[in-house]
Structure formats: structure tokens, C-alpha cells
Amino acid sequence: MQSQRTLSTFPIAPVHKTKLCAAGFLTVEDLKDIKPSGLSKETGIGLEECLEIIKLVNDDTTKKSTVKSAFDILQQEQTLPPIITFSEQIDAMLGGGVPLCKITEFCGAPGIGKTQMCMQLSVDVQIPECFGGLDGEVVYIDTEGSFIVERLVDITTATIQHCQQISQMESDDETKSSMSEFTAEKVLSRIHYYRCHDYVELLATVHLLPDFIKDHPKVRLVVVDSIAFHFRYDFDDFSLRTRLLTSMAQSFIKLATEYKIAVVLTQMTTKVKHGGSSQLVPALGESWGHASTVRVILYWEGQQRYAWLYKSPSKKESTVPYQVTMGGIRDIVDSHDCDKTENNLQQPAKRQRVT
Amino acid sequence: MSNKKLRRAGLSKDITERLAVNNVFTCKDFLSKNNLELLKLLGLGYYSLQNVVKTCCKACVPEPVTALELLERRKSKNFFKTTLPDLDIVLHGGIPMGTVTEIAGPSGCGKTQFCVMLSVVATLPANMGSLDGCVMYIDTESAFSAERLVQVAQCKYPEYFSQEDSLLQLTRSIFVDVQQTCSSLIKRLTSLEEEIISKKIKLIVVDSIASLVRKEYSGSGGKSLIDRTNFLSQQAAILKYLAEVFCIPVVVTNQITTRFGQNPTPSDLEEGGEIVPETDSGYVTAALGNTWSHNVNTRLILQYLEGQKRQVLVAKSPVAPFTSFTYTIQDTGIVQEVDGAGHYHGTDPGIQNIRVRLSLPLEYATKK
């Protein structure tokens, strides 16, 4: 079948296409066993271009079958642990945490903790393998400028403390050695931070990400905080906006599956008039909703933060409360317990001593 | 930046010319095209095209840094002291450099006073723990008073400002720019870069961000609310860019608005010590809506307490929890009260309730 594929379906420049067509080269079969020099002679296309055309056609037709059995996928899914969030309830809701090879999106109101979630995940993905982590590196693309390193240091310190507590319980040598390597400095040095000031920079960064990841094969998480910001202004042409966004989504999906990376995006909310009342909805509209595989909406209800699993291929829709503490994202714990265990990691909501 | 010309992007001359014929001049134009369009324009093979795209991307991609480098870079100068002792503590040392901080509150609550005080502080020399630079004060409400500035300076730092010289120095290093329309404001902001460099500006104040847009954009007639949102987002992007590139704090003020429906539950009002509004469904909150709330990195809310006392709330911050402090306005500017610091149960900063002065106290009314 492949040999009957017409050449016009390949990404060949139109000029060359017409020349090929005029010389009678219509299908893949016509190009079989022909040398670049021969092709050049017959069509009048330059030698280098001919070589490229032949290479392109061969590459495309000899590509391995992409069909995998569900068994293979199941095995793959089981060998790749998800990234935990440090909130057991959110983890349970997501099926263990933020999955690799997928795009997960967090939408939410301002100040709800989207950036905090991103920072938390950036640290958690680096937890050594003996603690069930991924020991991976992070690419953090910041479009809003809300990445405050001091805050990241807070979260890192809390995470390391947590791991230390676990390692003290175990007497295993391996655990101890990996614990000694798991330092704040190392964690910080493995977060690669891009600051994009407009959407063109963002597009360029996304284009070049595969190269960066080839150089840094340990990258397990790509964060974009937020995907929407630069697409909210300066756009008269909405079809262009949609196209750029979908092509970016496509690159992320490719990246995620090819390199087994978790892609985490955040998106802000905007207000739309719905009937008589106005409602908060994700800013990039309905069509963008297809881009992410897992979508979590973070929202306030009174003074309580909630995470709502809005879309997921494997888990059912549910809502859980969470809080943002000094140490990062945590479960809600009974406030009476907290007062007793002052030094516990799970301190009450973001409470800091005020002198 | 996006407007980088393609001829500086390291592409071959031939390609640049061919693109220019088709009205593709900048990296922005180039990256807005899809592969098929580019194949058509350039007449290149697929692989060569990939290389061209990569070269173009490399020309405008930001340089990645690790968080560790970022931390070291920020170590020396990362926070700008507000001189309210407890506020500085919870904010890890003050207003973060390189981000946009918003002060929202009802009229007469001290927003302009806060800005004036910050302006004075910013001009102090480095050995007093400050920025030692100039201030660009963009005034849209014509509320800036130089007399008040001098008064705050003299009362707050009587020793330093005892000589005429230092006062002169102070008044010379604060540049006030009055802007009356949205378009002139945005023009001003885009051209601000030159002045930041030439005048060594270390603090940008926009007082207020809300007044102009609320005047020019409305739901009915005139420019629409969608345009307003676009305008605000663009403004935010410029301010963030300036803040970050020059590593300076940007302070903007915002007004309040009354919202109806879907207000916080009654329990919020009790616990948070918020007002119980006079009308049933309306409540007062920061203006400009939800999208704008995303655009500020830190939001401080000023509100009235009883008598002379007012309260500042940290309503959104990447580093601080929800905290509140009481303050009064005196000759020296904003002064924090010893007591009254504490936590409050915060909620969405976009809908955080703000306490306003409901009516004049009786004693003032009878005195007259």
C-alpha cells in the first residue's frame, strides 16, 4: 500500500512537486531504486534537493509500525511511577500523581496555588529513586514572572526534611547514600528555567525543547506557567491564535510520549457571561480543552481550596480539598492535631510566625 | 524580543530575501507561519526547512538558567523594604524585585500615601539599606503632592533630611509624570526603558492603574470590556518585562468596586472580620476583575478599621501567607501599629472583601 502513496502527500516544496509531477514521478514506487543523480537529471531539480527528497520519502515509508499492544502500554505505565504532589488526596484523585507521557493542566483563579503546585512538582520529580521518586530534571518555562526562587527554596527544604525523616527510619545504606546526595543545591541546579517575555519566545522555546531534552536526558517534567498569559493580548487574528496553540499542544504531546516526560501546564481563568450570571472558565476556551489529557480545576469555596478533576482518561471525576502550607501543597489535616504537633511538616495553612 | 529582524537571526541572505519578498520580516512573522506555508515560500526541502526554523528559534529563544543560578543572582538585591517591619518579615524582606505589586483599597485609605512613602524610601542611599536610585511616579489621578513628599521625608528621617541638600536631592530624584489617557499611558510605558537606564530609575509607581481604564472603557458604548482586558494584559506584560529586565520593583495602585451576587458565605464575613455590607447582595472588592488579578504577583489590600486605624492585608503573594496588620497614617507616612498583626482566613484575592468607611463618624459631623 505504502508504495502507492502519492508524492504530493509528502512535505516537499511545491516547486519541486510540480517538477516531479511533470517528469512523471507520482507515487513512492516511481522513486524506488532511483539515485539522486538520476532523479536530478530527469526532473531538473538540484542534486542536494534530490537527495533530500529521496531521504524523506524513504524515511517516511520505512518507519516502524507504531502499533503497540495494550499489554506493552500497561507494562510501560507500570514501570513509570507518576510524580506525587505531596497531597495524598490529590494523588489518589489523579491515580498516584501527575502521570508521565501525558499533558496535565491546572486551571484556576488567581492566587489559588497554580504556581505553588508547579514548584511542588518541580521538586517532587527529583526525589531519589529509592524513595519511589523519579530522580529527574525539570524544564520550567515561566511566562508570567511569578517564579520566586526564595519560595522554591522553602518547598525544597521541606521536601528534603520529609525524605530525611523517612531515611532515618530505614537503615539501608543505599537510602543513606542517595539521601546525602539529595541536597537543596542539587535540586535547584536541576531546574532549568526559561523566562519567556512574549509568545514568540514561547514558541521558539517549545520548538527547541526536543534538542534541549536530548542534551539533558534526565528531564522528566516540563512545566509551562502559564500557557495562556501571552495569548491573552495582542491578538487580532483569533484563527492564528488557535492554530499556534494547537501546534504547540501537538509539540507537547510528541515531547511527552517520545521522551516519557510529564508536561504540566497552567491556565488562568476568565469570566464569561452565561445567561444572566457570569462564570469563571479557563481562559483559552473550549477548543483548547482537547489539548490536555488530564485537567484539574483549582477553585475557592469560601476559604477552602479545592481541586476538581475535570477530565481524565482513567479516573472518575471528583473533588478534594487541599491547602498551601509553608512547605508546599498538602492535605487538609484536622486543625486540632496541628496545634499539638507544632513541628510537624503538615502545619496549618501557610501559617508563619508574626512577631 | 519578537520583533527581531530575520536578517539578524543568522539565516542565509538568500532565504532572508525570499522571505522579505513575501512580507516576512521578523521572527514573529516567521514563526506565525506553519510548515506548509514556509515550504511554499522558500521552496526548500523538509529537512533543510527544519534547520532554518531551528536557526530562527535559536535567535529569539531566552537563555535557560538553573534555579540555583537564579538564587545566586538574586542573593544581593532581591527585596525592597517597605519599612513596615512585620510586612517585611512575612514578605521575606519586602516587595520582591522584578515583580508587579498591587496596592488596592477604597478612596482615602492611604494608597497614594503608601506610594509616596515608598518613593521616599527608594531614594535613600544604599548604606541605609535602600535602593539609592530614582523613582518614576506615573500619576493618573493628579494626586501626587510634592509638599507631602517633603513632609514624609522630614518626619520619617529627620536626621538624614536635616540639610537642604539631601532634600533637594530627594525632590530631584523623583520624576512625576501625569498621564491622562490610556493610549498615552501605554506609550509612556513602552518608552520608559530609555529613562530607566539614563536616570537610574529603581522604582516604578503607577498611581492608579484603574482610574484611566475605568473612565475610558465601559460595558455600554465606547470601548468594550474585552478591549479593556486586552489593554490591561498588555500593560501588565510591559510592566513585568521592565520589572524583570532591570530587576526593579513595580508598584501599582488599584481602586475598588462593588460586586453583586455570589458573595462570600456569611461565615467568611464573621471569621475574617470583614464588613457586613449594607445591601444584601453587594460586596466591595478590588476593581478591574479576575483577569487583572492574575496579572499582579503580589496584592496588598488596604481597608478601614475603626477610627483612625486601617488595615493592610496580604491577599496574594507567592511567598507570604494571608496576614493582616493595622496601621495609621501619620506625618511620617504609613506607620504600623504595634498590635493587630495576625492571620486571617483568606479567599480568592479577586473576590476578597474590602472594608470601606460606611459613614462619617458622629463626632466629626457634630463638630462642624
Side-chain angles (χ1 to χ4, degrees):
Chain A
M1 280 310 281
Q2 272 287 12
S3 60
Q4 291 304 315
R5 186 173 159 187
T6 56
L7 289 176
S8 57
T9 56
F10 286 94
I12 301 170
V15 198
H16 298 159
K17 264 185 204 169
T18 39
K19 279 184 184 163
L20 283 170
C21 202
F25 292 97
L26 297 174
T27 59
V28 175
E29 201 171 18
D30 297 336
L31 278 184
K32 218 174 167 190
D33 298 328
I34 197 162
K35 293 270 174 297
S37 55
L39 186 65
S40 171
K41 211 169 158 189
E42 284 201 50
T43 57
I45 303 172
L47 268 177
E48 283 161 31
E49 280 95 348
C50 283
L51 176 67
E52 204 168 308
I53 290 169
I54 290 174
K55 236 167 86 186
L56 179 80
V57 172
N58 282 342
D59 276 6
D60 229 47
T61 46
T62 56
K63 214 175 244 172
K64 263 191 268 163
S65 153
T66 49
V67 181
K68 270 192 224 164
S69 71
F71 179 70
D72 292 338
I73 297 174
L74 182 70
Q75 272 190 324
Q76 193 194 14
E77 277 176 5
Q78 281 172 346
T79 50
L80 296 172
I83 307 168
I84 53 165
T85 61
F86 266 55
S87 157
E88 259 177 63
Q89 283 182 301
I90 294 183
D91 285 347
M93 179 175 80
L94 291 170
V98 174
L100 295 190
C101 306
K102 296 218 162 72
I103 298 185
T104 306
E105 185 178 40
F106 290 95
C107 310
I112 187 75
K114 298 186 295 296
T115 305
Q116 307 290 327
M117 181 63 91
C118 292
M119 289 184 177
Q120 179 74 57
L121 290 169
S122 309
V123 177
D124 291 347
V125 74
Q126 304 192 36
I127 293 174
E129 274 160 8
C130 61
F131 295 110
L134 285 160
D135 195 21
E137 293 184 22
V138 184
V139 172
Y140 197 108
I141 302 172
D142 184 13
T143 64
E144 293 191 334
S146 49
F147 183 82
I148 305 278
V149 189
E150 285 77 5
R151 178 70 187 130
L152 187 70
V153 174
D154 285 349
I155 295 175
T156 310
T157 325
T159 312
I160 291 176
Q161 266 177 8
H162 181 79
C163 288
Q164 263 165 353
Q165 281 176 355
I166 297 175
S167 74
Q168 274 161 9
M169 282 182 259
E170 311 224 346
S171 51
D172 198 348
D173 278 348
E174 193 199 349
T175 324
K176 281 201 174 120
S177 69
S178 54
M179 194 57 232
S180 62
E181 278 173 29
F182 188 49
T183 59
E185 262 172 38
K186 194 183 166 203
V187 169
L188 293 180
S189 67
R190 299 210 300 179
I191 296 176
H192 306 280
Y193 173 83
Y194 285 87
R195 172 76 172 94
C196 294
H197 291 285
D198 54 35
Y199 75 89
V200 179
E201 286 187 4
L202 180 62
L203 287 177
T205 312
V206 174
H207 267 302
L208 293 176
L209 263 186
D211 288 356
F212 184 85
I213 287 165
K214 266 178 215 153
D215 294 341
H216 298 80
K218 293 205 91 176
V219 171
R220 281 286 158 274
L221 173 68
V222 173
V223 176
V224 185
D225 180 27
S226 76
I227 193 91
F229 183 65
H230 292 308
F231 289 93
R232 296 295 317 271
Y233 63 96
D234 228 7
F235 264 100
D236 305 323
D237 186 352
F238 275 85
S239 65
L240 174 69
R241 184 179 101 158
T242 310
R243 205 194 68 212
L244 290 177
L245 279 169
T246 40
S247 81
M248 213 153 58
Q250 200 56 48
S251 323
F252 282 130
I253 292 170
K254 207 173 153 200
L255 203 68
T257 46
E258 211 161 293
Y259 299 96
K260 300 194 174 53
I261 285 176
V263 177
V264 170
L265 312 174
T266 70
Q267 195 190 150
M268 25 203 207
T269 50
T270 191
K271 208 168 241 178
V272 289
K273 285 265 184 308
H274 194 82
S277 64
S278 57
Q279 278 185 333
L280 285 180
V281 296
L284 292 176
E286 268 307 303
S287 61
W288 175 256
H290 298 292
S292 55
T293 323
V294 182
R295 181 180 247 188
V296 180
I297 295 188
L298 307 177
Y299 67 98
W300 291 96
E301 202 170 288
Q303 292 154 354
Q304 191 71 59
R305 293 166 208 254
Y306 285 93
W308 170 27
L309 185 64
Y310 180 82
K311 174 189 174 186
S312 162
S314 53
K315 286 283 166 181
K316 68 166 188 252
E317 200 176 308
S318 57
T319 307
V320 296
Y322 72 98
Q323 60 176 347
V324 180
T325 68
M326 280 304 287
I329 306 283
R330 296 290 184 274
D331 273 336
I332 300 281
V333 274
D334 207 336
S335 58
H336 296 291
D337 298 346
C338 288
D339 293 338
K340 283 179 209 155
T341 52
E342 188 71 32
N343 288 326
N344 197 308
L345 261 176
Q346 294 176 333
Q347 276 181 17
K350 263 189 149 186
R351 202 156 282 184
Q352 202 179 28
R353 276 210 91 76
V354 178
T355 44
Chain B
M1 288 296 278
S2 58
N3 290 327
K4 191 162 185 174
K5 291 274 188 295
L6 278 172
R7 61 189 158 74
R8 290 190 294 111
L11 301 178
S12 73
K13 210 174 168 194
D14 184 34
I15 289 173
T16 326
E17 273 166 16
R18 220 176 302 171
L19 287 169
V21 172
N22 292 294
N23 288 327
V24 178
F25 297 108
T26 61
C27 291
K28 184 175 173 178
D29 298 336
F30 185 82
L31 290 177
S32 299
K33 298 253 181 269
N34 65 20
N35 278 342
L36 205 62
E37 284 171 316
L38 289 173
L39 273 176
K40 211 164 164 184
L41 293 184
L42 292 173
L44 283 174
Y46 185 69
Y47 293 113
S48 338
L49 179 73
Q50 292 295 307
N51 287 332
V52 173
V53 172
K54 260 182 201 162
T55 323
C56 178
C57 286
K58 268 181 198 143
C60 50
V61 76
E63 197 59 33
V65 288
T66 67
L68 190 67
E69 287 163 2
L70 215 59
L71 183 69
E72 268 156 23
R73 209 183 291 174
R74 286 172 57 93
K75 220 161 220 171
S76 49
K77 37 171 190 176
N78 40 6
F79 291 103
F80 167 49
K81 277 189 190 137
T82 62
T83 67
L84 301 185
D86 286 349
L87 188 62
D88 285 346
I89 290 172
V90 292
L91 290 177
H92 282 51
I95 294 173
M97 301 282 204
T99 64
V100 178
T101 303
E102 179 198 76
I103 300 171
S107 61
C109 205
K111 299 188 298 292
T112 303
Q113 300 298 323
F114 209 125
C115 293
V116 166
M117 188 185 74
L118 290 178
S119 306
V120 171
V121 175
T123 59
L124 293 176
N127 58 20
M128 290 170 79
S130 195
L131 303 176
D132 191 20
C134 295
V135 179
M136 177 50 81
Y137 196 106
I138 297 173
D139 189 5
T140 66
E141 293 179 332
S142 302
F144 183 83
S145 151
E147 227 169 286
R148 177 68 181 138
L149 177 83
V150 173
Q151 189 190 19
V152 169
Q154 278 177 328
C155 298
K156 200 167 169 73
Y157 302 101
E159 281 172 35
Y160 182 72
F161 288 109
S162 58
Q163 300 119 354
E164 285 276 296
D165 280 359
S166 48
L167 266 181
L168 269 179
Q169 182 63 33
L170 167 77
T171 46
R172 275 194 196 129
S173 56
I174 295 176
F175 302 98
V176 180
D177 194 341
V178 179
Q179 295 296 338
Q180 304 281 9
T181 61
C182 285
S183 53
S184 71
L185 177 62
I186 207 103
K187 223 188 227 165
R188 187 78 202 83
L189 290 178
T190 36
S191 64
L192 207 56
E193 196 166 325
E194 297 160 23
E195 273 168 293
I196 294 176
I197 300 167
S198 64
K199 292 179 175 159
K200 293 202 174 55
I201 282 168
K202 287 288 161 63
L203 171 69
I204 300 173
V205 178
V206 183
D207 180 25
S208 76
I209 207 99
S211 64
L212 292 181
V213 287
R214 295 184 93 186
K215 194 168 68 187
E216 288 186 29
Y217 297 88
S218 65
S220 55
K223 299 174 200 165
S224 73
L225 287 175
I226 297 173
D227 292 336
R228 188 183 87 164
T229 310
N230 285 343
F231 173 80
L232 284 171
S233 301
Q234 194 189 354
Q235 208 173 15
I238 299 174
L239 285 174
K240 279 183 177 179
Y241 177 76
L242 291 176
E244 185 147 309
V245 168
F246 298 100
C247 196
I248 53 177
V250 172
V251 176
V252 302
T253 66
N254 189 3
Q255 301 175 340
I256 52 161
T257 186
T258 308
R259 282 212 206 169
F260 297 99
Q262 270 205 332
N263 51 336
T265 54
S267 67
D268 300 351
L269 299 173
E270 286 161 26
E271 282 184 53
E274 312 297 345
I275 49 158
V276 180
E278 280 180 310
T279 49
D280 287 339
S281 55
Y283 65 104
V284 176
T285 185
L288 301 184
N290 170 71
T291 307
W292 173 254
S293 308
H294 280 289
N295 289 340
V296 297
N297 301 106
T298 308
R299 169 172 276 177
L300 303 177
I301 289 178
L302 307 184
Q303 64 176 3
Y304 284 102
L305 231 50
E306 71 280 347
Q308 291 296 310
K309 282 188 184 165
R310 290 126 205 246
Q311 198 174 32
V312 50
L313 308 175
V314 182
K316 176 188 180 186
S317 164
V319 292
F322 293 123
T323 37
S324 61
F325 312 100
T326 49
Y327 69 93
T328 51
I329 300 178
Q330 297 177 5
D331 288 348
T332 54
I334 305 271
V335 179
Q336 195 201 315
E337 295 286 290
V338 185
D339 54 343
H343 295 278
Y344 72 100
H345 289 280
T347 178
D348 184 344
I351 56 166
Q352 175 67 44
N353 224 316
I354 299 177
R355 188 195 280 252
V356 295
R357 192 143 52 177
L358 293 173
S359 57
L360 279 174
L362 196 63
E363 50 212 282
Y364 290 112
T366 50
K367 260 181 203 167
K368 284 203 170 171

